[in-house]
Amino acid sequence: MKKLGIVITDGVGYRNFIMSNFMQEAVQQFDQIIIYSGLPASIYALEQYPQVTVHELEVYHEGHVSFIFRKWKEIAHMEKSKSNFGMSDNNRTNYPKTNSLKNLVVKFFYILSRIYSSNGTILFAEKLQFLAFSKNKITQSYIQLLKKDQPDLVFFTHQRPSYLAPFLYAAQRVKIPTCSFIFSWDNLASKGRMLGTFDYFLVWSQLMKDELLQFYPNTNPEGVKIVGTPQFEPYFLPHYQTEREAFLKRFQLDPAKKIICFSCADKSIGGNDPLVIKTIAEAIRNGKLEQEAQLLVRTSPAEEPSRFEAIRSAYPEIIWNNPKWIQTRSSHDQMWSQRIPSEEDIFDLRAIIEHSDINVNMLSTMSLDFMLFGKPVINTVFGTETNGLYNDSRFLKYAHIKTVLDCKATRIATQESELIAALNTYLVHPQTDAKERQQLIEIEVCTPLAGISNRMAQQLYEWC
C-alpha cells in the first residue's frame, strides 16, 4: 500500500493542487493520501475521495534564535551567488534599516557572509537553525504525527516558507523521503534559500533544473524531474471555460472594442501600477490608440485593492476585477498565505486571459499565462534610480527576465510613448512576436500542458 503525504502551504498551493486535476490523478496512484495543511482543514471539500485525509498543522511561530540562523543561511546563500543580479539585489533590499538588537545581529551576518559563504557554511547555518527549533513543542508534535501516519513520501508543494521548516525536519527525523515542487519561475534565481534540503524535486523545465543544480550543488540530478506546473492546468479544463458573450456581459464590456488587461503586482513591487493604469486610461480617452479599446484592471490577490481608490474615482470607465480570494485565518505570521481563491475567481481569471486582446504587467508571471493563449504582452518598467518612481527597471537584470528579453517575447515600455507605441503595434497586428512568445513558453514550460497532474502523480509514485 502506497501512502502519500502532501504539504499544502498557502492559497496558491491550494489552487495548484486542489483546484487542478492533481487530486483526481493522485488518488488513482496512491492507496491513501494525507494532506498536511498550513491552511484551515475546513476549506477542503474532498468528500468524493474517501482515501484522502486532511491534517491541519499547528501554526509554528519562529523563535528569535532560529530566525537568526535562518537569516544567516539566507544571507550566505545570496552572498555566495552575488554574481547573479537577482540574488544580490534581493540581499541588498533586505538589509535591515534600523539598529534593533535583532537587526544588529543580522547585519553581523551580512559582514560574516562576505568572508564565509561556502556551501558548507550554508548547510552549517541550516543545521543550527533546525537544532534551534528541534525541541519546540510544535516540532515535536509534527514528529509524532508523522510517526503515526508513516507516509512513504512527503511532498511539499512550495519550497520556501520558513514556517514549514520544522515539518521538513520532522520528516527527516522519522526518515521519510521528501520531495518539493519549485513554486514559481523566479524562485531559484532571485529569492532566498529554500526552507531546507529535500531528497527529490519536481520542476517546470530544463531551465529550472539547470538553475536548481547551479544554486544547490548538493542536489542529485537524478532526483530532479521535469513535469511542468499545475498552475496553468485549470485554464485548459473545460470545467472553467466561459463563453465570450457571458464574459462580456459579466464585466459589462463593449463587444466592439478591444480589451486591454492590466494585471497588477502587489504593492511591495507594484508601486508604479497606478501611474501605468492612468497612462493607459488617458491614452484611450485622448484617442491616442489606433483602435477603440477599453481597460480591464485585475488587482493582485495578495492584497486589498484600496490603494487604487483615487484611480477608480478619476476614471470610472475602467473595469475592475478584484480577485475573489477568501481570508481563511485572521491571525498568522504570513497573512497573505492564508488567502485562497474561490472557484469563481478561477472562472474569472481564465476568461480574462482567454478573451482579452493584450496584457500589460510589470514583469509578472502573468506574462506566461497570457502567452499560453497566444496573447501579446507588454511589460512596463517606468521607474529608475533617479526619476523618483519605484525602481522597477532594475528587474530587467534578473535572470528570469533576461530570458524574456533574450527571446524578445514581450515589448518593454520604459515611458508613456513606448507603452502607447507597443499598444498600437499589438492592437493593429496582434500576431507580432507570436513566434517569440511561443519560444519563451517552450523554454519556461517545456512539457505539454495536458496531463501535467498525471505526470506529477506518476513521478511521486515512482519515488515512494
Side-chain angles (χ1 to χ4, degrees):
M1 186 175 88
K2 295 291 186 180
K3 186 186 298 186
L4 176 67
I6 305 174
V7 183
I8 294 182
T9 309
D10 54 21
V12 178
Y14 180 89
R15 180 197 67 190
N16 289 353
F17 292 91
I18 300 298
M19 306 184 81
S20 68
N21 268 354
F22 180 78
M23 292 305 299
Q24 180 180 325
E25 297 291 344
V27 295
Q28 296 181 44
Q29 298 288 334
F30 294 92
D31 302 290
Q32 187 175 352
I33 295 173
I34 304 169
I35 296 175
Y36 298 103
S37 179
L39 297 160
S42 59
I43 68 171
Y44 296 90
L46 299 170
E47 293 80 8
Q48 70 272 39
Y49 303 126
Q51 65 271 61
V52 178
T53 305
V54 179
H55 289 325
E56 181 179 325
L57 296 178
E58 290 188 75
V59 179
Y60 166 74
H61 299 284
E62 187 174 45
H64 294 304
V65 177
S66 58
F67 167 82
I68 291 298
F69 290 133
R70 174 175 64 82
K71 290 300 293 184
W72 179 21
K73 174 179 74 173
E74 293 174 353
I75 293 164
H77 174 74
M78 290 187 282
E79 180 67 25
K80 179 176 180 288
S81 304
K82 64 182 178 182
S83 59
N84 175 283
F85 182 83
M87 290 290 193
S88 61
D89 184 63
N90 199 331
N91 219 17
R92 182 171 57 252
T93 301
N94 290 325
Y95 188 80
K97 304 298 190 295
T98 64
N99 287 325
S100 66
L101 179 59
K102 181 189 286 188
N103 284 346
L104 286 172
V105 176
V106 171
K107 287 181 179 181
F108 167 75
F109 283 122
Y110 268 89
I111 297 171
L112 185 67
S113 295
R114 292 171 192 161
I115 306 169
Y116 302 105
S117 59
S118 66
N119 200 54
T121 299
I122 295 167
L123 294 176
F124 177 66
E126 180 173 292
K127 184 176 182 180
L128 293 177
Q129 176 203 357
F130 280 31
L131 183 63
F133 59 59
S134 62
K135 302 300 182 183
N136 182 282
K137 66 177 183 178
I138 290 180
T139 305
Q140 291 298 310
S141 75
Y142 292 164
I143 292 172
Q144 294 306 313
L145 180 61
L146 287 173
K147 281 183 177 179
K148 178 182 177 182
D149 291 343
Q150 287 295 320
D152 296 288
L153 178 73
V154 175
F155 173 47
F156 287 72
T157 58
H158 194 324
Q159 86 288 354
R160 290 196 63 236
S162 58
Y163 56 86
L164 287 176
F167 197 76
L168 174 61
Y169 168 80
Q172 293 170 346
R173 277 289 307 274
V174 185
K175 301 188 183 308
I176 299 171
T178 59
C179 171
S180 183
F181 172 68
I182 302 301
F183 182 71
S184 189
W185 69 332
D186 64 341
N187 277 192
L188 293 174
S190 64
K191 303 295 186 183
R193 185 81 177 182
M194 64 177 67
L195 63 93
T197 303
F198 299 93
D199 299 299
Y200 305 106
F201 292 93
L202 298 177
V203 299
W204 295 26
S205 63
Q206 183 63 48
L207 173 62
M208 189 175 281
K209 180 175 181 178
D210 293 343
E211 289 177 341
L212 178 62
L213 298 177
Q214 174 189 349
F215 294 111
Y216 296 85
N218 285 6
T219 303
N220 175 13
E222 296 302 314
V224 184
K225 297 301 179 182
I226 300 167
V227 293
T229 173
Q231 80 177 57
F232 302 126
E233 190 174 51
Y235 299 157
F236 299 95
L237 298 177
H239 172 69
Y240 293 112
Q241 187 171 8
T242 301
E243 295 299 325
R244 181 174 177 82
E245 288 186 6
F247 164 71
L248 294 173
K249 182 178 180 180
R250 172 166 173 70
F251 287 97
Q252 299 183 325
L253 291 157
D254 186 339
K257 295 180 180 180
K258 298 286 188 179
I259 302 169
I260 299 168
C261 173
F262 180 79
S263 41
C264 301
D266 64 69
K267 62 183 178 181
S268 67
I269 59 172
N272 298 329
D273 286 353
L275 174 60
V276 177
I277 294 169
K278 178 181 177 181
T279 301
I280 299 172
E282 285 288 333
I284 294 172
R285 272 190 182 182
N286 298 326
K288 293 182 179 180
L289 301 184
E290 295 182 17
Q291 292 198 10
E292 284 194 296
Q294 55 203 319
L295 177 59
L296 168 61
V297 175
R298 177 174 166 88
T299 57
S300 168
E303 64 179 6
E304 296 299 324
S306 55
R307 68 187 178 110
F308 298 105
E309 286 305 317
I311 292 287
R312 293 179 73 113
S313 298
Y315 300 93
E317 68 269 30
I318 296 175
I319 300 96
W320 293 83
N321 172 234
N322 301 321
K324 295 173 178 62
W325 285 48
I326 303 157
Q327 190 72 46
T328 63
R329 275 200 180 102
S330 58
S331 62
H332 193 275
D333 288 351
Q334 296 183 13
M335 283 292 293
W336 62 267
S337 73
Q338 301 300 295
R339 296 168 68 94
I340 65 167
S342 64
E343 187 174 56
E344 181 182 350
D345 188 62
I346 303 296
F347 276 98
D348 284 348
L349 178 56
R350 186 200 189 283
I352 289 169
I353 293 168
E354 181 177 11
H355 299 303
S356 294
D357 295 285
I358 299 173
N359 177 243
V360 183
N361 71 75
M362 195 286 291
L363 302 171
S364 164
T365 184
M366 287 298 295
S367 296
L368 300 178
D369 298 59
F370 280 86
M371 288 181 196
L372 287 168
F373 282 85
K375 309 296 181 173
V377 176
I378 301 166
N379 295 138
T380 55
V381 282
F382 279 16
T384 68
E385 292 181 355
T386 59
N387 69 359
L389 299 175
Y390 175 76
N391 182 17
D392 48 17
S393 63
R394 75 186 197 275
F395 295 125
L396 294 174
K397 300 177 185 178
Y398 277 48
H400 69 292
I401 299 302
K402 286 179 70 68
T403 302
V404 177
L405 300 177
D406 290 345
C407 290
K408 296 182 171 58
T410 72
R411 297 294 172 101
I412 304 297
T414 63
Q415 56 188 341
E416 177 185 352
S417 60
E418 292 177 353
L419 175 55
I420 293 172
L423 285 169
N424 281 325
T425 295
Y426 286 143
L427 284 170
V428 178
H429 303 290
Q431 289 305 308
T432 302
D433 305 324
K435 291 182 180 178
E436 290 78 6
R437 292 193 290 272
Q438 183 58 36
Q439 180 187 4
L440 181 65
I441 288 297
E442 290 172 359
I443 291 172
E444 295 288 355
V445 192
C446 61
T447 58
L449 290 167
I452 287 173
S453 289
N454 177 264
R455 288 194 297 275
M456 298 185 80
Q458 286 189 358
Q459 186 57 62
L460 292 170
Y461 183 85
E462 289 179 18
W463 281 331
C464 281

